[in-house]
Amino acid sequence: MPEMPRSHDLKAEPRALARFIPRTVPPALRLPPEINRLDLLHQEGVEALLRELYNLLRDQGITCDVEPPAPAMAVRQPIRTIDTILTEKRGTCLDLSLLFCAVCLAHDLAPLLIVLEGHAFVAVATGRTLQQPHGEGMPAFERGMLASFDALRDQVPRLYLPVECTGFAAGAGLSREYPEGRGRERRDGCMSFDRAVRAGEEYLNAHIAPAGATPGAARRAFLYALDIVTLQDRYGFMPVGDTLPGDTRVYLDSAHAEGGAASVRNQGAGEAAPSALPDADRLYQRSAHAEGGGDARVENQGGSVTPLPAKARRTYIGSAHAEGGGNASVVNVPAPVSVARVEPATVLAVYAAPPGSAPLHWERDVRALREALAPYPDRFRLDVVPLATPEDVQRALVQCRPRYLHLFAHGAVDGILLDDGEGGRGWKLPYPLLAEMVRAMPGLRCVLLSACDSAYAASATGSGEPYLIAMRGKVSVDAAIAFAGGFYETLAAREDTPIEAAFAQGLIRLQLIAPLDAEVPLLAAGWRG
């Protein structure tokens, strides 16, 4: 049974739309084995790959849902998941645009989501990819969002290819007043890829009015454009539980080069669980790989091998591989040994600062957490939930099953202030209810409340886990970030470090950065609410 549509306020929470775009897609939406994505990109360019992806979606038999949206999109917009779209075979222009973005990300492309009053479509970068996300035009975006239509219209012809995403769905009922209603083929009610690109160009050239201007006949007001890769990679707007970008190449404990030299020497043990790599079509495990005439070399290699992904088409284990005339060699490769895999501990970082409350600059906290955990990617992973509602917190706890819960929000004597999902002044999550959520999650080791007055949460404690770290009175943003940095860096270096020892290191960092707040953090064991 398909999931019920989720909902989103397109105006109050624009950047959070990136959370509805996963980087992995069902097998039906991946290119068939006979089409090599890399060859297509290198030989014919982004447009050729987009054409294949567009036609793959056109073959799904989807129909465009033409039910008109609420006036001026003033209420929350229902959003279908990919599975729901494929099951129901229908979707709105926003559903289809989010779907197209996901398919682009799964094939290493960098999409923009363009949102208008009553419509949405996509533009795809021609000079950037998921693996090389930086390029010309990025300074025009403010934290991943572009609000100037003039800047967008200047960039798209040079740097992006626009695609009308309703084009790959049957849309006989769409108004011919707008580009999405014209140029559809009789056989299936869809547009050809070339027509979908022209429809995107027509929107940009004649059917969009700048924000604040009166749209006029056959024009829609521009709201914003979102750079999905930047929002997900840099600002943490990843879908909850989405841990592996859907790249078709996966290199584990290895070296890879195109046109250069790749080598691995004195390599330690490790392994990959097949469940983590469901869609890989190339897997290089404890190996070196080179394309374009480079050299690939592996020396003094050690490791273990587990069963590999069933869908892998090219697998290199304990080996070196070269294409284009390069040399490949492997030296001193011992027999595989069995090494127990330890799953990385999850830090679930939850952020909220509803409209009307003081800004918290939570992006700085995300950056500090990433820097603290980055040296040890095999030990920790970070899941980020921005603009969190109470329902988001409960859902994320169930899906992520974290070892550590990190809440960065405004606090009070009776609870934590979270978003209400409606663009209003927020919803208070009482401490006893938060504690009840925590008690229902076995394996949760520590809860860190980076929120003013949150020490009131420690009204009932016991011994052992889960630990609670909360704040006595007011705490500055800089102090909260400093303490968290020292705390998580200590745990990342050795995850079995006692919480008391990591707490002490957090206090030391706090004394270095914000000594006046050194007495604010409180540690309590066995939190019961």
Short mmCIF file of all heavy atoms in Angstrom, two decimals, residues 6-22 76-77 79 94 98 101 105 113 115 142-146 224-233 235-240 351-353 355 362-363 384-389 392 395 419-423:
data_model
loop_
_atom_site.label_atom_id
_atom_site.label_comp_id
_atom_site.label_asym_id
_atom_site.label_seq_id
_atom_site.Cartn_x
_atom_site.Cartn_y
_atom_site.Cartn_z
N ARG A 6 3.25 13.21 1.93
CA ARG A 6 3.75 14.14 2.92
C ARG A 6 3.34 15.55 2.48
O ARG A 6 2.85 15.75 1.38
CB ARG A 6 5.27 14.03 3.01
CG ARG A 6 5.73 12.62 3.36
CD ARG A 6 7.14 12.38 2.91
NE ARG A 6 7.23 12.39 1.46
CZ ARG A 6 8.38 12.29 0.79
NH1 ARG A 6 9.51 12.17 1.46
NH2 ARG A 6 8.39 12.31 -0.52
N SER A 7 3.54 16.54 3.35
CA SER A 7 3.16 17.89 2.98
C SER A 7 4.28 18.86 3.32
O SER A 7 5.12 18.58 4.18
CB SER A 7 1.86 18.31 3.69
OG SER A 7 2.06 18.33 5.08
N HIS A 8 4.27 20.00 2.65
CA HIS A 8 5.35 20.96 2.83
C HIS A 8 4.84 22.36 2.49
O HIS A 8 4.09 22.55 1.54
CB HIS A 8 6.51 20.61 1.91
CG HIS A 8 7.72 21.46 2.11
ND1 HIS A 8 8.57 21.31 3.19
CD2 HIS A 8 8.21 22.50 1.40
CE1 HIS A 8 9.53 22.20 3.10
NE2 HIS A 8 9.34 22.94 2.04
N ASP A 9 5.26 23.34 3.29
CA ASP A 9 4.94 24.73 3.02
C ASP A 9 6.02 25.29 2.10
O ASP A 9 7.15 25.52 2.51
CB ASP A 9 4.88 25.53 4.32
CG ASP A 9 4.31 26.93 4.12
OD1 ASP A 9 4.62 27.55 3.08
OD2 ASP A 9 3.60 27.40 5.01
N LEU A 10 5.68 25.52 0.83
CA LEU A 10 6.67 25.89 -0.17
C LEU A 10 7.27 27.27 0.07
O LEU A 10 8.37 27.55 -0.40
CB LEU A 10 6.04 25.86 -1.57
CG LEU A 10 5.49 24.50 -2.02
CD1 LEU A 10 5.02 24.59 -3.46
CD2 LEU A 10 6.53 23.41 -1.88
N LYS A 11 6.56 28.12 0.81
CA LYS A 11 7.06 29.48 1.02
C LYS A 11 7.75 29.63 2.37
O LYS A 11 8.74 30.34 2.48
CB LYS A 11 5.91 30.48 0.90
CG LYS A 11 5.37 30.59 -0.53
CD LYS A 11 4.29 31.65 -0.61
CE LYS A 11 3.80 31.80 -2.05
NZ LYS A 11 2.73 32.81 -2.18
N ALA A 12 7.23 28.97 3.40
CA ALA A 12 7.82 29.13 4.73
C ALA A 12 9.09 28.32 4.90
O ALA A 12 9.97 28.68 5.67
CB ALA A 12 6.81 28.73 5.80
N GLU A 13 9.22 27.19 4.17
CA GLU A 13 10.36 26.30 4.36
C GLU A 13 10.96 25.92 3.00
O GLU A 13 11.04 24.75 2.65
CB GLU A 13 9.90 25.03 5.08
CG GLU A 13 9.17 25.29 6.38
CD GLU A 13 8.50 24.03 6.92
OE1 GLU A 13 8.51 23.01 6.21
OE2 GLU A 13 7.99 24.07 8.03
N PRO A 14 11.40 26.88 2.20
CA PRO A 14 11.83 26.54 0.84
C PRO A 14 13.00 25.57 0.78
O PRO A 14 12.96 24.58 0.03
CB PRO A 14 12.19 27.90 0.22
CG PRO A 14 12.40 28.81 1.38
CD PRO A 14 11.49 28.32 2.46
N ARG A 15 14.07 25.82 1.55
CA ARG A 15 15.27 24.98 1.44
C ARG A 15 15.01 23.53 1.85
O ARG A 15 15.67 22.62 1.36
CB ARG A 15 16.41 25.57 2.27
CG ARG A 15 16.95 26.89 1.72
CD ARG A 15 18.06 27.45 2.60
NE ARG A 15 18.64 28.67 2.06
CZ ARG A 15 18.13 29.88 2.26
NH1 ARG A 15 17.05 30.02 3.00
NH2 ARG A 15 18.71 30.94 1.72
N ALA A 16 14.07 23.33 2.76
CA ALA A 16 13.79 21.98 3.25
C ALA A 16 13.17 21.08 2.17
O ALA A 16 13.06 19.87 2.37
CB ALA A 16 12.88 22.04 4.47
N LEU A 17 12.80 21.63 1.02
CA LEU A 17 12.33 20.78 -0.08
C LEU A 17 13.40 19.77 -0.50
O LEU A 17 13.08 18.69 -1.00
CB LEU A 17 11.94 21.65 -1.29
CG LEU A 17 10.48 22.06 -1.41
CD1 LEU A 17 10.30 23.00 -2.59
CD2 LEU A 17 9.60 20.83 -1.57
N ALA A 18 14.68 20.12 -0.29
CA ALA A 18 15.75 19.19 -0.66
C ALA A 18 15.66 17.89 0.13
O ALA A 18 16.20 16.86 -0.30
CB ALA A 18 17.11 19.85 -0.44
N ARG A 19 15.00 17.91 1.29
CA ARG A 19 14.87 16.70 2.09
C ARG A 19 13.92 15.69 1.45
O ARG A 19 13.88 14.53 1.87
CB ARG A 19 14.36 17.05 3.49
CG ARG A 19 15.33 17.85 4.32
CD ARG A 19 14.73 18.29 5.63
NE ARG A 19 14.28 17.16 6.42
CZ ARG A 19 13.45 17.27 7.46
NH1 ARG A 19 12.99 18.46 7.81
NH2 ARG A 19 13.10 16.20 8.14
N PHE A 20 13.14 16.09 0.44
CA PHE A 20 12.21 15.18 -0.22
C PHE A 20 12.85 14.52 -1.44
O PHE A 20 12.16 13.84 -2.20
CB PHE A 20 10.96 15.95 -0.65
CG PHE A 20 10.12 16.44 0.49
CD1 PHE A 20 10.39 17.66 1.09
CD2 PHE A 20 9.08 15.67 0.99
CE1 PHE A 20 9.62 18.11 2.17
CE2 PHE A 20 8.31 16.13 2.06
CZ PHE A 20 8.58 17.34 2.64
N ILE A 21 14.17 14.72 -1.65
CA ILE A 21 14.83 14.21 -2.85
C ILE A 21 15.91 13.22 -2.43
O ILE A 21 17.01 13.62 -2.02
CB ILE A 21 15.45 15.35 -3.67
CG1 ILE A 21 14.38 16.39 -4.02
CG2 ILE A 21 16.09 14.81 -4.94
CD1 ILE A 21 14.90 17.63 -4.70
N PRO A 22 15.66 11.92 -2.52
CA PRO A 22 16.68 10.93 -2.17
C PRO A 22 17.74 10.83 -3.25
O PRO A 22 17.55 11.29 -4.38
CB PRO A 22 15.88 9.63 -2.05
CG PRO A 22 14.74 9.83 -2.99
CD PRO A 22 14.39 11.31 -2.92
N ARG A 76 -0.01 24.14 2.81
CA ARG A 76 1.02 23.11 2.61
C ARG A 76 0.69 22.23 1.42
O ARG A 76 -0.45 21.81 1.22
CB ARG A 76 1.16 22.28 3.88
CG ARG A 76 1.67 23.10 5.05
CD ARG A 76 1.66 22.31 6.33
NE ARG A 76 2.62 21.22 6.30
CZ ARG A 76 3.91 21.37 6.60
NH1 ARG A 76 4.37 22.56 6.93
NH2 ARG A 76 4.73 20.35 6.57
N GLN A 77 1.72 21.95 0.62
CA GLN A 77 1.56 21.20 -0.61
C GLN A 77 1.79 19.71 -0.34
O GLN A 77 2.83 19.32 0.19
CB GLN A 77 2.60 21.68 -1.63
CG GLN A 77 2.66 20.87 -2.90
CD GLN A 77 1.75 21.40 -3.97
OE1 GLN A 77 1.02 22.37 -3.74
NE2 GLN A 77 1.78 20.79 -5.13
N ILE A 79 3.07 16.06 -1.04
CA ILE A 79 4.19 15.59 -1.85
C ILE A 79 4.22 14.07 -1.79
O ILE A 79 4.28 13.48 -0.71
CB ILE A 79 5.54 16.16 -1.36
CG1 ILE A 79 5.54 17.69 -1.50
CG2 ILE A 79 6.70 15.56 -2.13
CD1 ILE A 79 6.79 18.34 -0.95
N LEU A 94 5.08 19.28 -9.05
CA LEU A 94 6.11 19.27 -8.03
C LEU A 94 6.59 17.85 -7.76
O LEU A 94 7.80 17.60 -7.66
CB LEU A 94 5.59 19.90 -6.74
CG LEU A 94 6.59 19.96 -5.58
CD1 LEU A 94 7.82 20.78 -5.97
CD2 LEU A 94 5.94 20.53 -4.33
N LEU A 98 10.51 16.73 -8.34
CA LEU A 98 11.32 16.11 -7.29
C LEU A 98 11.81 14.73 -7.74
O LEU A 98 12.96 14.35 -7.47
CB LEU A 98 10.52 16.00 -6.00
CG LEU A 98 10.08 17.32 -5.35
CD1 LEU A 98 9.15 17.06 -4.17
CD2 LEU A 98 11.28 18.13 -4.90
N CYS A 101 14.67 15.24 -10.15
CA CYS A 101 15.88 15.61 -9.41
C CYS A 101 16.53 14.37 -8.80
O CYS A 101 17.76 14.22 -8.84
CB CYS A 101 15.54 16.60 -8.30
SG CYS A 101 15.22 18.29 -8.86
N LEU A 105 20.31 12.96 -9.47
CA LEU A 105 21.31 12.73 -8.42
C LEU A 105 21.81 11.30 -8.45
O LEU A 105 23.00 11.04 -8.24
CB LEU A 105 20.69 13.03 -7.05
CG LEU A 105 20.40 14.50 -6.72
CD1 LEU A 105 19.68 14.59 -5.38
CD2 LEU A 105 21.67 15.33 -6.69
N LEU A 113 16.01 22.86 -8.65
CA LEU A 113 14.55 22.81 -8.61
C LEU A 113 14.04 24.25 -8.69
O LEU A 113 14.36 25.07 -7.84
CB LEU A 113 14.09 22.15 -7.31
CG LEU A 113 12.57 22.11 -7.09
CD1 LEU A 113 11.91 21.22 -8.13
CD2 LEU A 113 12.24 21.65 -5.68
N VAL A 115 10.90 26.74 -8.62
CA VAL A 115 9.53 26.76 -8.08
C VAL A 115 8.88 28.09 -8.40
O VAL A 115 9.42 29.16 -8.10
CB VAL A 115 9.54 26.52 -6.56
CG1 VAL A 115 8.11 26.52 -6.01
CG2 VAL A 115 10.23 25.20 -6.23
N GLU A 142 22.36 32.03 -2.32
CA GLU A 142 22.54 32.29 -0.89
C GLU A 142 22.14 31.04 -0.12
O GLU A 142 20.97 30.67 -0.07
CB GLU A 142 21.68 33.47 -0.45
CG GLU A 142 21.84 33.79 1.04
CD GLU A 142 20.92 34.90 1.50
OE1 GLU A 142 20.23 35.48 0.65
OE2 GLU A 142 20.90 35.16 2.70
N ARG A 143 23.15 30.35 0.43
CA ARG A 143 22.92 29.11 1.16
C ARG A 143 22.07 28.14 0.34
O ARG A 143 21.14 27.51 0.81
CB ARG A 143 22.27 29.37 2.51
CG ARG A 143 23.16 30.16 3.46
CD ARG A 143 22.61 30.21 4.86
NE ARG A 143 21.30 30.84 4.90
CZ ARG A 143 20.24 30.36 5.55
NH1 ARG A 143 20.34 29.24 6.21
NH2 ARG A 143 19.10 31.01 5.55
N GLY A 144 22.45 27.98 -0.93
CA GLY A 144 21.80 27.00 -1.78
C GLY A 144 20.52 27.45 -2.45
O GLY A 144 19.88 26.66 -3.15
N MET A 145 20.11 28.71 -2.26
CA MET A 145 18.86 29.19 -2.84
C MET A 145 19.08 30.47 -3.63
O MET A 145 19.83 31.35 -3.21
CB MET A 145 17.82 29.43 -1.74
CG MET A 145 16.43 29.81 -2.30
SD MET A 145 15.13 29.83 -1.04
CE MET A 145 15.43 31.45 -0.32
N LEU A 146 18.42 30.57 -4.78
CA LEU A 146 18.50 31.75 -5.63
C LEU A 146 17.11 32.39 -5.67
O LEU A 146 16.14 31.74 -6.07
CB LEU A 146 18.94 31.35 -7.05
CG LEU A 146 19.20 32.49 -8.04
CD1 LEU A 146 20.37 33.34 -7.59
CD2 LEU A 146 19.48 31.90 -9.42
N TYR A 224 11.61 30.81 -6.25
CA TYR A 224 13.02 30.57 -5.96
C TYR A 224 13.52 29.38 -6.78
O TYR A 224 12.73 28.61 -7.35
CB TYR A 224 13.24 30.28 -4.46
CG TYR A 224 12.27 29.28 -3.87
CD1 TYR A 224 12.44 27.91 -4.06
CD2 TYR A 224 11.17 29.71 -3.14
CE1 TYR A 224 11.55 27.01 -3.54
CE2 TYR A 224 10.26 28.81 -2.62
CZ TYR A 224 10.46 27.45 -2.81
OH TYR A 224 9.57 26.56 -2.30
N ALA A 225 14.84 29.24 -6.83
CA ALA A 225 15.49 28.06 -7.40
C ALA A 225 16.41 27.47 -6.33
O ALA A 225 17.12 28.21 -5.65
CB ALA A 225 16.29 28.41 -8.65
N LEU A 226 16.40 26.16 -6.18
CA LEU A 226 17.17 25.48 -5.15
C LEU A 226 18.27 24.64 -5.79
O LEU A 226 17.98 23.82 -6.69
CB LEU A 226 16.27 24.58 -4.31
CG LEU A 226 15.11 25.26 -3.58
CD1 LEU A 226 14.28 24.21 -2.84
CD2 LEU A 226 15.61 26.32 -2.62
N ASP A 227 19.51 24.82 -5.33
CA ASP A 227 20.61 23.97 -5.74
C ASP A 227 20.63 22.76 -4.81
O ASP A 227 21.09 22.84 -3.67
CB ASP A 227 21.93 24.73 -5.67
CG ASP A 227 23.08 23.94 -6.27
OD1 ASP A 227 23.28 22.79 -5.84
OD2 ASP A 227 23.79 24.46 -7.14
N ILE A 228 20.14 21.64 -5.28
CA ILE A 228 19.89 20.49 -4.41
C ILE A 228 21.19 19.91 -3.85
O ILE A 228 21.27 19.56 -2.67
CB ILE A 228 19.10 19.40 -5.17
CG1 ILE A 228 17.79 19.98 -5.71
CG2 ILE A 228 18.82 18.22 -4.25
CD1 ILE A 228 16.90 20.61 -4.67
N VAL A 229 22.23 19.80 -4.68
CA VAL A 229 23.49 19.23 -4.19
C VAL A 229 24.07 20.08 -3.06
O VAL A 229 24.50 19.56 -2.03
CB VAL A 229 24.49 19.10 -5.35
CG1 VAL A 229 25.86 18.63 -4.83
CG2 VAL A 229 23.99 18.12 -6.40
N THR A 230 24.09 21.40 -3.24
CA THR A 230 24.62 22.29 -2.21
C THR A 230 23.80 22.19 -0.93
O THR A 230 24.36 22.12 0.18
CB THR A 230 24.63 23.74 -2.71
OG1 THR A 230 25.49 23.83 -3.85
CG2 THR A 230 25.14 24.69 -1.64
N LEU A 231 22.48 22.19 -1.03
CA LEU A 231 21.63 22.13 0.15
C LEU A 231 21.84 20.82 0.92
O LEU A 231 21.86 20.81 2.15
CB LEU A 231 20.16 22.27 -0.25
CG LEU A 231 19.72 23.68 -0.64
CD1 LEU A 231 18.34 23.65 -1.26
CD2 LEU A 231 19.73 24.61 0.56
N GLN A 232 22.01 19.72 0.20
CA GLN A 232 22.18 18.44 0.87
C GLN A 232 23.59 18.26 1.42
O GLN A 232 23.77 17.86 2.57
CB GLN A 232 21.82 17.30 -0.08
CG GLN A 232 20.35 17.25 -0.44
CD GLN A 232 19.98 16.04 -1.28
OE1 GLN A 232 20.86 15.33 -1.80
NE2 GLN A 232 18.70 15.78 -1.43
N ASP A 233 24.61 18.56 0.61
CA ASP A 233 25.99 18.30 1.02
C ASP A 233 26.51 19.32 2.02
O ASP A 233 27.22 18.97 2.96
CB ASP A 233 26.90 18.28 -0.20
CG ASP A 233 26.76 17.01 -1.02
OD1 ASP A 233 26.01 16.12 -0.57
OD2 ASP A 233 27.37 16.90 -2.09
N TYR A 235 24.61 22.04 3.62
CA TYR A 235 23.73 22.56 4.66
C TYR A 235 22.88 21.49 5.34
O TYR A 235 22.02 21.82 6.15
CB TYR A 235 22.84 23.67 4.10
CG TYR A 235 23.64 24.87 3.66
CD1 TYR A 235 23.83 25.16 2.31
CD2 TYR A 235 24.24 25.69 4.59
CE1 TYR A 235 24.59 26.25 1.91
CE2 TYR A 235 25.00 26.79 4.20
CZ TYR A 235 25.16 27.06 2.86
OH TYR A 235 25.91 28.13 2.47
N GLY A 236 23.11 20.24 5.02
CA GLY A 236 22.51 19.16 5.79
C GLY A 236 21.07 18.82 5.47
O GLY A 236 20.43 18.10 6.24
N PHE A 237 20.51 19.26 4.34
CA PHE A 237 19.12 18.96 4.01
C PHE A 237 19.02 17.61 3.28
O PHE A 237 18.38 17.50 2.24
CB PHE A 237 18.52 20.07 3.15
CG PHE A 237 18.22 21.33 3.91
CD1 PHE A 237 19.13 22.37 3.97
CD2 PHE A 237 17.04 21.47 4.60
CE1 PHE A 237 18.87 23.53 4.67
CE2 PHE A 237 16.75 22.63 5.30
CZ PHE A 237 17.67 23.66 5.34
N MET A 238 19.66 16.58 3.84
CA MET A 238 19.56 15.24 3.29
C MET A 238 18.29 14.57 3.82
O MET A 238 17.90 14.79 4.97
CB MET A 238 20.78 14.41 3.69
CG MET A 238 22.04 14.74 2.92
SD MET A 238 21.99 14.17 1.20
CE MET A 238 22.13 12.41 1.43
N PRO A 239 17.65 13.73 2.99
CA PRO A 239 16.53 12.95 3.53
C PRO A 239 16.99 12.10 4.69
O PRO A 239 18.10 11.56 4.68
CB PRO A 239 16.10 12.09 2.33
CG PRO A 239 16.60 12.83 1.13
CD PRO A 239 17.86 13.49 1.56
N VAL A 240 16.16 11.97 5.73
CA VAL A 240 16.53 11.18 6.89
C VAL A 240 16.77 9.74 6.47
O VAL A 240 15.96 9.14 5.76
CB VAL A 240 15.40 11.23 7.95
CG1 VAL A 240 15.69 10.26 9.09
CG2 VAL A 240 15.26 12.65 8.47
N TYR A 351 17.44 20.33 14.49
CA TYR A 351 17.53 21.79 14.59
C TYR A 351 16.15 22.42 14.41
O TYR A 351 15.34 21.95 13.61
CB TYR A 351 18.49 22.34 13.53
CG TYR A 351 19.89 21.83 13.67
CD1 TYR A 351 20.31 20.71 12.98
CD2 TYR A 351 20.79 22.45 14.53
CE1 TYR A 351 21.59 20.21 13.14
CE2 TYR A 351 22.07 21.97 14.69
CZ TYR A 351 22.47 20.85 13.99
OH TYR A 351 23.74 20.37 14.16
N ALA A 352 15.92 23.50 15.15
CA ALA A 352 14.67 24.25 15.00
C ALA A 352 14.85 25.65 15.54
O ALA A 352 15.47 25.85 16.58
CB ALA A 352 13.53 23.54 15.73
N ALA A 353 14.32 26.62 14.82
CA ALA A 353 14.24 28.01 15.28
C ALA A 353 13.06 28.63 14.55
O ALA A 353 13.21 29.21 13.47
CB ALA A 353 15.53 28.78 14.97
N PRO A 355 9.90 30.80 13.03
CA PRO A 355 9.79 32.23 12.72
C PRO A 355 9.39 33.03 13.96
O PRO A 355 8.54 32.62 14.74
CB PRO A 355 8.69 32.27 11.65
CG PRO A 355 8.73 30.92 11.02
CD PRO A 355 9.09 29.97 12.11
N TRP A 362 22.24 27.58 12.81
CA TRP A 362 22.49 26.15 13.02
C TRP A 362 23.43 25.56 11.98
O TRP A 362 24.04 24.52 12.22
CB TRP A 362 21.17 25.39 13.05
CG TRP A 362 20.35 25.51 11.79
CD1 TRP A 362 19.39 26.42 11.52
CD2 TRP A 362 20.44 24.68 10.63
NE1 TRP A 362 18.86 26.22 10.27
CE2 TRP A 362 19.48 25.15 9.70
CE3 TRP A 362 21.22 23.58 10.29
CZ2 TRP A 362 19.30 24.56 8.47
CZ3 TRP A 362 21.04 22.98 9.05
CH2 TRP A 362 20.09 23.47 8.15
N GLU A 363 23.58 26.22 10.81
CA GLU A 363 24.52 25.71 9.81
C GLU A 363 25.94 25.64 10.38
O GLU A 363 26.72 24.75 10.03
CB GLU A 363 24.50 26.59 8.56
CG GLU A 363 23.16 26.64 7.84
CD GLU A 363 22.30 27.80 8.32
OE1 GLU A 363 22.59 28.33 9.42
OE2 GLU A 363 21.34 28.16 7.61
N VAL A 384 21.05 14.70 9.74
CA VAL A 384 20.64 16.05 10.10
C VAL A 384 19.15 16.23 9.78
O VAL A 384 18.70 15.88 8.69
CB VAL A 384 21.48 17.09 9.33
CG1 VAL A 384 21.00 18.50 9.67
CG2 VAL A 384 22.96 16.93 9.67
N VAL A 385 18.41 16.78 10.73
CA VAL A 385 16.99 17.10 10.54
C VAL A 385 16.81 18.59 10.81
O VAL A 385 16.65 19.00 11.96
CB VAL A 385 16.09 16.27 11.46
CG1 VAL A 385 14.61 16.57 11.16
CG2 VAL A 385 16.37 14.79 11.30
N PRO A 386 16.85 19.44 9.78
CA PRO A 386 16.61 20.88 9.99
C PRO A 386 15.13 21.19 10.03
O PRO A 386 14.29 20.39 9.58
CB PRO A 386 17.29 21.51 8.76
CG PRO A 386 17.16 20.45 7.71
CD PRO A 386 17.18 19.12 8.40
N LEU A 387 14.78 22.35 10.58
CA LEU A 387 13.39 22.81 10.63
C LEU A 387 12.48 21.73 11.20
O LEU A 387 11.41 21.44 10.68
CB LEU A 387 12.92 23.22 9.23
CG LEU A 387 13.79 24.22 8.48
CD1 LEU A 387 13.28 24.44 7.07
CD2 LEU A 387 13.86 25.54 9.22
N ALA A 388 12.91 21.10 12.29
CA ALA A 388 12.26 19.89 12.79
C ALA A 388 10.96 20.19 13.52
O ALA A 388 10.88 21.12 14.34
CB ALA A 388 13.20 19.14 13.72
N THR A 389 9.95 19.39 13.26
CA THR A 389 8.71 19.36 14.03
C THR A 389 8.80 18.20 15.02
O THR A 389 9.66 17.33 14.89
CB THR A 389 7.50 19.16 13.12
OG1 THR A 389 7.58 17.85 12.54
CG2 THR A 389 7.47 20.20 12.00
N ASP A 392 8.80 15.07 13.16
CA ASP A 392 10.09 14.79 12.52
C ASP A 392 11.04 14.11 13.50
O ASP A 392 11.78 13.20 13.13
CB ASP A 392 10.73 16.09 12.02
CG ASP A 392 9.99 16.70 10.85
OD1 ASP A 392 9.33 15.95 10.11
OD2 ASP A 392 10.08 17.93 10.67
N ARG A 395 9.93 10.48 14.03
CA ARG A 395 10.19 9.70 12.81
C ARG A 395 11.68 9.42 12.66
O ARG A 395 12.09 8.30 12.32
CB ARG A 395 9.64 10.45 11.60
CG ARG A 395 9.72 9.67 10.30
CD ARG A 395 9.17 10.48 9.15
NE ARG A 395 7.80 10.90 9.38
CZ ARG A 395 7.42 12.15 9.56
NH1 ARG A 395 8.31 13.14 9.55
NH2 ARG A 395 6.15 12.46 9.75
N ASP A 419 9.71 23.49 15.37
CA ASP A 419 8.83 24.05 14.34
C ASP A 419 7.46 23.38 14.43
O ASP A 419 7.33 22.24 14.90
CB ASP A 419 9.42 23.82 12.94
CG ASP A 419 10.50 24.84 12.62
OD1 ASP A 419 11.27 25.17 13.53
OD2 ASP A 419 10.57 25.29 11.47
N ASP A 420 6.44 24.08 13.95
CA ASP A 420 5.10 23.49 13.95
C ASP A 420 4.69 22.97 12.58
O ASP A 420 3.60 22.44 12.41
CB ASP A 420 4.06 24.48 14.48
CG ASP A 420 3.99 25.76 13.65
OD1 ASP A 420 4.57 25.79 12.54
OD2 ASP A 420 3.37 26.73 14.10
N GLY A 421 5.58 23.14 11.58
CA GLY A 421 5.26 22.66 10.25
C GLY A 421 4.31 23.53 9.48
O GLY A 421 3.98 23.23 8.33
N GLU A 422 3.85 24.61 10.06
CA GLU A 422 2.89 25.50 9.41
C GLU A 422 3.45 26.89 9.20
O GLU A 422 2.72 27.80 8.79
CB GLU A 422 1.61 25.59 10.25
CG GLU A 422 0.96 24.25 10.57
CD GLU A 422 0.36 23.60 9.33
OE1 GLU A 422 0.15 24.32 8.34
OE2 GLU A 422 0.14 22.38 9.34
N GLY A 423 4.72 27.10 9.51
CA GLY A 423 5.31 28.42 9.37
C GLY A 423 4.93 29.36 10.48
O GLY A 423 5.12 30.58 10.37
#
